[in-house]
Amino acid sequence: DIQMTQSPSSLSASVGDRVTITCRASQSISSYLNWYQQKPGKAPKLLIYAASSLLSGVPSRFSGSGSGTDFTLTISSLQPEDFATYYCQQSYSTPRTFGQGTKLEIK
Amino acid sequence: QVQLQESGPGLVKRSQTLSLTCTVSGGSISSGDYYWSWIRQPPGKGLEWIGYIYYSGSTYYNPSLKSRVTISVDTSKNQFSLKLSSVTAADTAVYYCARANGDYAYDAFDIWGQGTMVTVSS
């Protein structure tokens, strides 16, 4: 199985801050990396697929980069609605695996 | 637009079989390059992929659950289903159905149901 490791596990930030979350795969996954946002009591929502492709309707302040084993999700200017838990997920091979999540909290 | 909705019992007794159904609306389960998936999330924990099925019936399961999992599809009803046998307290979780999009999204899970909480009781 491909292990996905996110850092940090939690992060405190303020509205307007620029935030970066990192995801590392235990082996190369090319660009088969996706990012999701989950709010309490809700299903995850896809933000970015194929490492850097923004899903239609997702604000442009979200961006993704990376390939191989190292990836990042960046939020350029945090908005109040962005405080949530973020997960990375690889779709390179089965079993599909997720990172453990990064909880983004208000400072 | 395509929507997914899970249904099934919220309480299952230990050692019995958990059965859930996901109904797809707003589109055909047989169209496109999609894999129809089950994902679960224990309370306060992360996401675990259970497996998925193509409309033709081809299945892919997580090896950690493979001996206990069956995913099936009913194209006439536009539904797919999950059965998980011999459940224990460790199977208590929110169960999501989701669509993996192979058409353009590198098999990312682009549409999710709202999730259904299943509790295993003793």
Side-chain angles (χ1 to χ4, degrees):
Chain A
D1 298 7
I2 298 175
Q3 306 302 316
M4 307 301 294
T5 304
Q6 289 180 233
S7 60
S9 295
S10 63
L11 176 59
S12 294
S14 302
V15 172
D17 283 354
R18 179 184 180 89
V19 167
T20 296
I21 298 169
T22 297
C23 179
R24 176 164 289 176
S26 60
Q27 66 185 73
S28 177
I29 58 171
S30 184
S31 295
Y32 287 81
L33 190 283
N34 312 303
W35 289 99
Y36 302 85
Q37 177 193 67
Q38 186 179 34
K39 295 183 178 179
K42 300 294 187 182
K45 289 184 176 180
L46 177 64
L47 299 175
I48 289 170
Y49 62 93
S52 60
S53 296
L54 198 65
L55 190 71
S56 176
V58 174
S60 60
R61 62 182 179 272
F62 290 92
S63 64
S65 64
S67 66
T69 60
D70 295 317
F71 302 87
T72 58
L73 171 70
T74 299
I75 310 172
S76 60
S77 179
L78 274 173
Q79 298 302 300
E81 61 268 29
D82 299 337
F83 291 94
T85 300
Y86 293 84
Y87 292 94
C88 62
Q89 176 251 329
Q90 63 83 15
S91 52
Y92 181 79
S93 67
T94 56
R96 303 302 195 220
T97 47
F98 293 84
Q100 81 278 15
T102 295
K103 187 173 184 178
L104 181 52
E105 298 175 304
I106 301 174
K107 183 183 286 184
Chain B
Q1 70 281 19
V2 175
Q3 294 183 312
L4 307 181
Q5 177 68 57
E6 305 90 349
S7 59
L11 192 63
V12 181
K13 290 187 177 181
R14 182 173 54 89
S15 79
Q16 295 192 342
T17 296
L18 177 160
S19 296
L20 296 173
T21 295
C22 183
T23 299
V24 179
S25 60
S28 172
I29 202 169
S30 304
S31 66
D33 189 16
Y34 306 128
Y35 289 82
W36 303 96
S37 317
W38 289 98
I39 296 162
R40 70 180 183 179
Q41 185 172 36
K45 296 189 177 180
L47 298 159
E48 180 181 31
W49 177 75
I50 299 170
Y52 54 37
I53 190 166
Y54 195 57
Y55 76 91
S56 63
S58 299
T59 52
Y60 302 83
Y61 298 140
N62 193 323
S64 67
L65 298 168
K66 187 174 183 177
S67 63
R68 300 193 292 130
V69 170
T70 302
I71 298 176
S72 58
V73 64
D74 186 336
T75 55
S76 67
K77 294 182 178 179
N78 231 29
Q79 295 176 333
F80 62 106
S81 299
L82 168 70
K83 291 188 184 300
L84 181 64
S85 64
S86 305
V87 297
T88 69
D91 295 311
T92 293
V94 175
Y95 285 76
Y96 295 102
C97 58
R99 185 182 81 173
N101 191 328
D103 264 353
Y104 72 84
Y106 276 45
D107 282 356
F109 300 110
D110 65 340
I111 299 175
W112 295 65
Q114 65 184 26
T116 187
M117 180 69 200
V118 178
T119 302
V120 176
S121 68
S122 54

